[in-house]
Amino acid sequence: MGWTFCIVLFLFVLACGCWPLPDPEPLMHGEVQSPQYPQPYPPNLQKQWDLSVPEGYRIRITFTHMDIEASAGCYYDSLTVLYDGKVLGKFCGSENSADGHHPGNQPILSPGNRLTLIFQTDNNNPERHQNLGFSAHYQALDIDECSAPGDASGPLCTQICLNTLGSYICSCHHGYELRSDQRSCMLSCAGGIFDEPEGFLYSPGYPNSPPHAVSCQYIISVELGFTVSLNFSDNFHIESVDTQQGLSCLHHWLQVTVPNRDHIKLCGAKSPGLMVTNSNTVQLDYHTDDEGLSNGWSLDYSTHRVQCPVPGNVAEGRVTPILTEYFYRDYIFVRCDQGYKLMMEGQEIESFSTMCQNNGQWHLPLPECHIFDCGEPEPLLNGGVTFLSGFQNQYRSVVQYHCNEPFYSFLGAVNVSFTCESDRKWRSNHDVVVRPTCIPVCGQPTQHLSVYQRIIGGNDAPDDTLPWQVLLSIDGGRGGGMVIADRWIMTAAHVVGKDGNPALNDTVRVYMGLTDVGTLMVSPVYAASVHIHPDYNNPNHVDYNNDIALIKLQDPITFDSSVMPICLPAQDATYVTGTMGLVSGFGVTQEKGRSPKQLKYVHLPVVDQETCSDSFTTSQQKRGGGQTLTDNMICAGLPEGGKDSCGGDGGSAYALKDNGRFWAAGIVSWGTGCGKQGSYGVYTRVANYLDWIMKTMQEN
Ligand code: 4AZ
C-alpha cells in the first residue's frame, strides 16, 4: 500500500469517525414498515426510504397493511411514493375508511429501478385509538425492454430484440450481422476462407439491393498443385468513375490479389468473365463506401491441376502414357526398346517413373536408353572368336567361333555363331546350345614326306613331318612314343617298364616337336603317371604280348605344326597285308650302331600274320629265342630285309594312312635282329587295345 493512500485514509477516518463502506449490492426484494409497527406510529414524523433494485429491473411494492390517519388529500398523515421526484401516489386511511386514499391490494410499479417512500405524521391525532402505520414488501421485476417503444432514433434493435433478465440484446436475421453499435444490422459479407475445390461467391446481398460501406474479404485457398479460376457471372456491377485515363475504381472496387503478382482492381458494368489465376490462393477484397451504388457481383470458382511440360521423347525408348497435357499427380513411365537399358546419371536403373509435382515440374528428369552389350564372348581353348557383325559386343552383334586350324577342329557342329540377344546373353544359332569345343586334329602333318626312306635303311625326317613322334628318355635309356592326346603319350610297355614295374614319373622325360636330337633334348616334358598294360608280363624279354603303355603328362600340349597327335585306330580298323605303313624313331640305323642325331623314318608294308609267324619259328629255331607272335601283334617289313625298326625305336608308331590321316596301327615292339632277310619287325596291334586306352585316359 502506498504511503499517500494510507494518509488519506487516516484523515477520512478521523473526519468521519467511521470506515467507508462499499455501495451495498442492490437487493432483489425487501420489506418496509412504519416506525414501531405493529405499534402505533409516533407523531411528528418525517421518514424517507430510498429503495433500489439492480439496473434493468423495476420495483413492485405491495402493501400488506395500511392504517394511517385518514384525512382529505391525506393532509395530516401520509405515505408518499415517488419515482425520480414524481409522485406516484400519496396514501392514508385504512382499507375500510370512508375518506383518505388507500392503495388497496393493487401493487405499485416504479418505472425504473428506484423508489422513494416518505412517511409523514403531525402531532395531532383526533381518533381515540391510535393508527398502526403500514407494512409493505417490494420485489425487483424484470423490465421487458424489447416491448418498449424506443426513442427518436428508432427501435432498440433494428431487427431482433431479445429480452434478458435485467437487460436485452439485439440480433440479426440470417445473412446479416450486427454492426458495432450493437443495435443495427448490416448484410453479412459471407467472406472467409474457401478451401473446397469449387464454390460460389457473391457480394453481400447479391442480387438484391446492396448495403453501403462494405469491406469484405474472401480467400480462396486450395491444395498445392491446383490452380484457381474465377468465372464471374454477367451480372456484374461495381461503381466506377470516368476519368481521362478511362474507368477508375475510385470508391468501390473488387480487388483480386494473387501471391507474388500485382493485384487487379475490378469495377464497372462489364463482367471480367473467366480469370485464370495460375495460383492456388486468391484473395478478393470488396470495398464500397457510404455513397454511390454497386449492384455487386457473383462468381463460380473452380480448380484445375497444375500442368507439367510435355516430357518429350527418349531415343531408343518409349514414354507412356502419351497425352497432350500432363497434370499434377500424373505419372509417366519410360521403357527402353529391346536391346537397350535405362540409364540415369551414369547408372543403370531397373525401371523408371516420374510424377508431375505440385510445382509443375517432373520430380525426375527423363532417363536415357543405352544399347547394352553381352560382354566378351567366352574364350575358346585352342580357338578364337571373330565378329561377323556388330560392335563392341553390343546387342545384336554376331560372333563366330573358330578353332586354330589346321591343328584343331570343332567337335560336332561347325560354324557355330552366337548373337547378343535381348536377355544380354550370347545365344547360339543352333536350337541346342552347344559350347563350341576345339578338338585336336590327328594324323595330318602339315609337311609331307615325299620320298620313301628307312630307319634301318631309312632317312632323316624333316621337321613337322612326323609331329606325333616323341623321344623318351627313361633312366638314360632311349625309346620312342607317340602323342595321342594333349596329355597322353602312347608307347611300348617294354620302354617304360622294368622288372614288371612302370618307370617312376620323375625318371621319365618326354621330348617332342623337333627332329634334331641335340636341340630336341633341351626342353623335356614331364610325366604325371605311367600306365603299363596290366597283362604285359615280360620278365625274360621273350613275351612281348600286350606291349603297350600310356604316359600321362603333367601339362597339356598345345598343338602346332611341330607337335600333333596321331589318330587312334577306328573301332573297325583292319590291317591289310601289303598296305604301306610308316615307322619312325630315334633308334639305331644299324644293329649295334650308334643312335642317330636325327629322327628317321621308313615305309614298310603290313606282313601277313602267318608269314610272319612262320618266319619266327624258323629264326627262333635258328637263334634259339623264345618269342611268340600273338594276335595282339602285327608284323611289318620286307622279306628281303634292309628296312626295319631297331633298338631305340621301341614305343614309336607304325602308322597306316586312311583318308589322308595317319593312325597308330602299331607300336614298335620287338624283332629278331633288325632288317634281316626273312625276318620282320613286330608291332603291338593297337586296334586290340582301344578299350584299354580309352578307359585309362578317362580314369586318369
Ligand atoms: C628294340 O630293341 C627293337 N627290328 C625294336 C624293333 C625291332 C627290334 C628291336 C625290330 O626296341
Side-chain angles (χ1 to χ4, degrees):
M1 187 186 286
W3 280 111
T4 320
F5 178 78
C6 287
I7 293 163
V8 169
L9 188 66
F10 178 70
L11 292 175
F12 177 84
V13 172
L14 273 186
C16 159
C18 62
W19 286 95
L21 291 173
D23 279 345
E25 277 285 306
L27 299 170
M28 292 298 283
H29 57 87
E31 271 190 343
V32 191
Q33 288 172 341
S34 52
Q36 296 175 17
Y37 185 87
Q39 300 300 314
Y41 54 79
N44 293 322
L45 267 181
Q46 167 93 12
K47 180 154 174 71
Q48 181 173 331
W49 292 266
D50 291 314
L51 309 180
S52 69
V53 291
E55 268 316 324
Y57 291 84
R58 51 189 189 159
I59 298 174
R60 183 172 72 176
I61 187 161
T62 309
F63 290 94
T64 51
H65 186 222
M66 182 178 282
D67 175 21
I68 299 172
E69 180 189 358
S71 59
C74 301
Y75 181 76
Y76 299 118
D77 294 351
S78 64
L79 176 66
T80 310
V81 181
L82 299 109
Y83 172 73
D84 220 5
K86 200 174 139 203
V87 176
L88 300 181
K90 188 173 183 180
F91 304 104
C92 60
S94 60
E95 211 170 338
N96 301 320
S97 58
D99 48 5
H101 183 227
H102 190 276
N105 291 328
Q106 286 304 308
I108 298 164
L109 282 171
S110 77
N113 67 329
R114 284 165 281 107
L115 202 63
T116 304
L117 300 181
I118 300 173
F119 186 45
Q120 202 166 351
T121 62
D122 63 3
N123 57 0
N124 181 23
N125 189 347
E127 302 261 344
R128 290 276 161 90
H129 69 276
Q130 288 185 319
N131 298 95
L132 299 183
F134 69 91
S135 171
H137 68 253
Y138 68 91
Q139 67 185 117
L141 267 192
D142 176 44
I143 302 170
D144 182 5
E145 294 88 348
C146 295
S147 55
D151 55 19
S153 62
L156 280 179
C157 300
T158 54
Q159 287 194 354
I160 299 166
C161 180
L162 299 169
N163 182 43
T164 61
L165 275 180
S167 185
Y168 69 97
I169 50 170
C170 296
S171 176
C172 300
H173 294 301
H174 177 73
Y176 290 81
E177 57 191 82
L178 200 60
R179 281 189 205 274
S180 55
D181 65 4
Q182 301 299 316
R183 175 175 173 239
S184 57
C185 295
M186 61 178 179
L187 276 163
S188 167
C189 278
I193 295 178
F194 296 78
D195 55 6
E196 294 296 317
E198 49 193 25
F200 179 62
L201 307 186
Y202 50 93
S203 56
Y206 181 90
N208 296 326
S209 54
H212 281 119
V214 293
S215 183
C216 298
Q217 189 174 71
Y218 310 79
I219 293 171
I220 304 171
S221 179
V222 295
E223 192 188 337
L224 268 173
F226 289 80
T227 57
V228 176
S229 292
L230 309 175
N231 195 4
F232 286 89
S233 67
D234 291 341
N235 192 2
F236 181 93
H237 177 257
I238 298 173
E239 185 203 75
S240 59
V241 177
D242 262 328
T243 66
Q244 279 182 336
Q245 286 79 38
L247 287 182
S248 168
C249 309
L250 204 56
H251 306 298
H252 295 195
W253 64 75
L254 175 63
Q255 180 173 289
V256 181
T257 310
V258 171
N260 305 322
R261 256 180 277 161
D262 289 343
H263 60 249
I264 303 168
K265 270 188 176 173
L266 302 172
C267 61
K270 191 170 179 304
S271 167
L274 181 67
M275 282 180 77
V276 177
T277 67
N278 290 323
S279 166
N280 72 316
T281 14
V282 186
Q283 183 177 317
L284 300 168
D285 292 285
Y286 183 47
H287 171 87
T288 66
D289 62 8
D290 287 337
E291 292 166 33
L293 179 79
S294 292
N295 292 332
W297 49 269
S298 75
L299 64 85
D300 283 306
Y301 78 85
S302 54
T303 47
H304 305 274
R305 285 187 292 161
V306 165
Q307 202 169 348
C308 278
V310 174
N313 295 325
V314 173
E316 323 296 348
R318 250 169 67 80
V319 180
T320 52
I322 301 169
L323 304 173
T324 48
E325 293 169 309
Y326 295 84
F327 297 99
Y328 172 49
R329 286 186 182 148
D330 278 349
Y331 275 86
I332 54 169
F333 304 87
V334 176
R335 231 173 274 135
C336 290
D337 295 344
Q338 208 170 46
Y340 290 81
K341 56 187 176 182
L342 279 167
M343 295 290 290
M344 245 183 100
E345 292 169 356
Q347 298 284 316
E348 187 179 348
I349 49 171
E350 278 274 308
S351 60
F352 177 85
S353 64
T354 183
M355 193 191 80
C356 177
Q357 300 177 119
N358 59 25
N359 60 0
Q361 301 292 318
W362 294 102
H363 93 280
L364 287 174
L366 286 182
E368 293 173 357
C369 288
H370 291 185
I371 194 165
F372 62 71
D373 64 68
C374 288
E376 289 293 329
E378 272 195 44
L380 175 62
L381 185 64
N382 299 312
V385 186
T386 38
F387 272 94
L388 293 188
S389 64
F391 178 65
Q392 290 184 342
N393 304 320
Q394 284 175 350
Y395 174 61
R396 289 258 155 93
S397 295
V398 182
V399 293
Q400 192 171 52
Y401 282 98
H402 64 266
C403 291
N404 292 338
E405 290 176 338
F407 314 107
Y408 294 89
S409 65
F410 279 113
L411 171 67
V414 280
N415 289 342
V416 183
S417 64
F418 283 77
T419 307
C420 177
E421 296 287 3
S422 52
D423 59 357
R424 304 196 196 188
K425 295 213 165 72
W426 291 102
R427 296 264 174 220
S428 158
N429 56 346
H430 287 63
D431 291 344
V432 185
V433 179
V434 278
R435 240 182 83 83
T437 311
C438 292
I439 54 159
V441 170
C442 64
Q444 285 188 306
T446 53
Q447 299 297 319
H448 302 286
L449 295 163
S450 51
V451 193
Y452 287 179
Q453 298 290 347
R454 43 199 159 156
I455 316 178
I456 291 278
N459 209 351
D460 291 348
D463 280 342
D464 306 339
T465 52
L466 295 156
W468 52 82
Q469 178 72 52
V470 302
L471 172 61
L472 296 177
S473 168
I474 295 139
D475 260 346
R478 201 187 263 199
M482 70 201 87
V483 178
I484 57 165
D486 66 353
R487 277 180 186 267
W488 291 93
I489 306 295
M490 185 160 71
T491 185
H494 80 267
V495 174
V496 291
K498 211 178 171 193
D499 306 329
N501 297 316
L504 297 174
N505 295 339
D506 55 4
T507 63
V508 178
R509 282 173 174 56
V510 183
Y511 301 96
M512 60 183 82
L514 290 169
T515 52
D516 176 73
V517 176
T519 43
L520 172 67
M521 292 189 73
V522 173
S523 323
V525 174
Y526 294 95
S529 54
V530 178
H531 308 266
I532 291 177
H533 193 279
D535 297 332
Y536 175 73
N537 184 16
N538 189 14
N540 303 316
H541 309 285
V542 290
D543 183 1
Y544 284 88
N545 199 20
N546 308 307
D547 189 13
I548 184 167
L550 290 170
I551 300 167
K552 186 179 182 188
L553 301 178
Q554 285 182 359
D555 301 303
I557 312 161
T558 300
F559 299 125
D560 57 20
S561 57
S562 67
V563 183
M564 283 179 84
I566 188 168
C567 305
L568 287 172
Q571 287 287 353
D572 56 352
T574 52
Y575 295 78
V576 179
T577 304
T579 311
M580 209 43 102
L582 173 63
V583 66
S584 51
F586 293 94
V588 294
T589 51
Q590 281 181 349
E591 214 177 337
K592 298 186 183 133
R594 295 173 66 124
S595 294
K597 291 199 169 77
Q598 183 80 22
L599 175 64
K600 305 279 182 185
Y601 71 92
V602 71
H603 285 95
L604 295 170
V606 175
V607 173
D608 171 63
Q609 196 75 358
E610 207 171 323
T611 312
C612 185
S613 186
D614 290 349
S615 76
F616 285 117
T617 328
T618 320
S619 60
Q620 273 167 24
Q621 280 166 358
K622 279 186 203 156
R623 296 187 64 222
Q627 298 100 327
T628 328
L629 190 75
T630 70
D631 289 345
N632 292 322
M633 304 168 187
I634 59 151
C635 299
L638 300 168
E640 68 270 22
K643 294 179 180 180
D644 198 0
S645 52
C646 200
D649 290 327
S652 298
Y654 172 67
L656 289 176
K657 197 175 188 182
D658 269 343
N659 299 322
R661 290 172 183 261
F662 287 97
W663 57 280
I667 303 167
V668 178
S669 182
W670 60 279
T672 51
C674 302
K676 286 199 166 49
Q677 189 189 5
S679 176
Y680 304 98
V682 184
Y683 300 84
T684 310
R685 190 185 283 259
V686 180
N688 285 8
Y689 296 97
L690 271 181
D691 289 349
W692 176 76
I693 294 167
M694 292 303 175
K695 183 167 176 279
T696 306
M697 291 205 296
Q698 272 163 19
E699 290 177 359
N700 294 282

